[in-house]
Amino acid sequence: MEAVIPTAWFDRSAVSVAPDLIGCTLVRQLPDGTQLRGIIVETEAYQEGDPACHAYRKQTKRNQIMFGAPGYIYVYLIYGIYHCVNVVTDRIGAPSAVLIRALELTPETLITILLKPKEKPIKAAAGPGKLCLAMQINLALYGTKLELGSGQAMWIEHRSIDWQAKLDLGTNELTQTTRIGLTQGVDLPWRWYLKGCQAVSKFG
């Protein structure tokens, strides 16, 4: 296990945190102690003043966690079916978050979860809704603090030394581009993904 990322690490702008999360490991610990793990391979940033941000207009019951301290989980529902998981970033009062769009699940996790018929294992968490299904993330985790502890539901671990070394050498490379599925803020290049990784939801 790599070092767990402290909540203070998220006390930066979403556009700074989002690319730094690529290569880190999201861990979901179930009540029975089972751990589901996936390397983060795609993220999107949303922050104050961004018309695509859920907190752009005003604070509501749904988005209130975004106005709070960094290092907490913001989960919301889309189309009344799929969940999306975000990490709150930046200072208190500056609503921003990073959407985790895709994970490359570990072999141990792939053995644990139930894949859909004909589902390619590498695509099991390729997309925000799919990753929440695979990692058993739902609205019950809204407001969860990302920290390691007895009975703790979620945390994020730093990049492994090997992964970071590959990034430094250029073997691992990040692509920065525009976000997906938006009607506002479409030109902002606030999406990052691991170049060439088949677990990414969409290239380009």
Side-chain angles (χ1 to χ4, degrees):
M1 184 179 78
E2 301 300 324
V4 176
I5 296 177
T7 53
W9 188 85
F10 299 101
D11 191 6
R12 299 177 286 145
S13 70
V15 295
S16 295
V17 173
D20 287 352
L21 277 173
I22 305 294
C24 297
T25 298
L26 179 67
V27 183
R28 168 77 168 101
Q29 184 164 253
L30 304 179
D32 66 0
T34 300
Q35 290 185 5
L36 305 176
R37 292 172 166 267
I39 296 174
I40 299 170
V41 295
E42 183 182 358
T43 59
E44 286 181 346
Y46 294 86
Q47 63 183 33
E48 191 174 24
D50 169 16
C53 179
H54 285 180
Y56 179 62
R57 297 190 183 280
K58 63 180 181 179
Q59 182 173 340
T60 65
K61 184 178 180 180
R62 180 198 196 195
N63 67 31
Q64 61 184 352
I65 192 70
M66 297 180 72
F67 290 82
Y72 286 77
I73 288 296
Y74 169 39
V75 182
Y76 61 86
L77 200 62
I78 56 171
Y79 309 125
I81 303 173
Y82 302 108
H83 294 90
C84 294
V85 62
N86 304 254
V87 182
V88 176
T89 60
D90 218 321
R91 68 191 187 280
I92 294 175
S96 68
V98 173
L99 171 65
I100 301 177
R101 280 199 57 90
L103 301 175
E104 183 173 349
L105 301 178
T106 64
E108 296 79 11
T109 296
L110 284 169
I111 292 172
T112 302
I113 69 172
L114 294 174
L115 292 174
K116 294 181 179 179
K118 298 183 180 180
E119 177 89 86
K120 293 181 179 179
I122 193 66
K123 290 292 186 182
K130 292 177 71 174
L131 82 83
C132 282
L133 281 172
M135 301 290 277
Q136 298 186 34
I137 297 172
N138 54 40
L139 291 174
L141 296 176
Y142 180 103
T144 296
K145 188 176 184 179
L146 288 169
E147 61 181 354
L148 180 63
S150 178
Q152 187 64 21
M154 290 179 67
W155 62 85
I156 298 177
E157 297 170 2
H158 281 292
R159 294 167 176 164
S160 69
I161 294 174
D162 179 62
W163 203 100
Q164 183 63 53
K166 289 179 179 178
L167 183 65
D168 295 339
L169 290 170
T171 306
N172 286 341
E173 186 177 345
L174 304 188
T175 295
Q176 181 177 359
T177 184
T178 51
R179 298 171 296 186
I180 296 174
L182 303 178
T183 56
Q184 296 179 311
V186 294
D187 296 326
L188 294 172
W190 288 356
R191 174 176 169 245
W192 290 263
Y193 63 84
L194 179 60
K195 186 176 181 179
C197 177
Q198 294 303 308
V200 168
S201 66
K202 181 181 179 182
F203 294 109

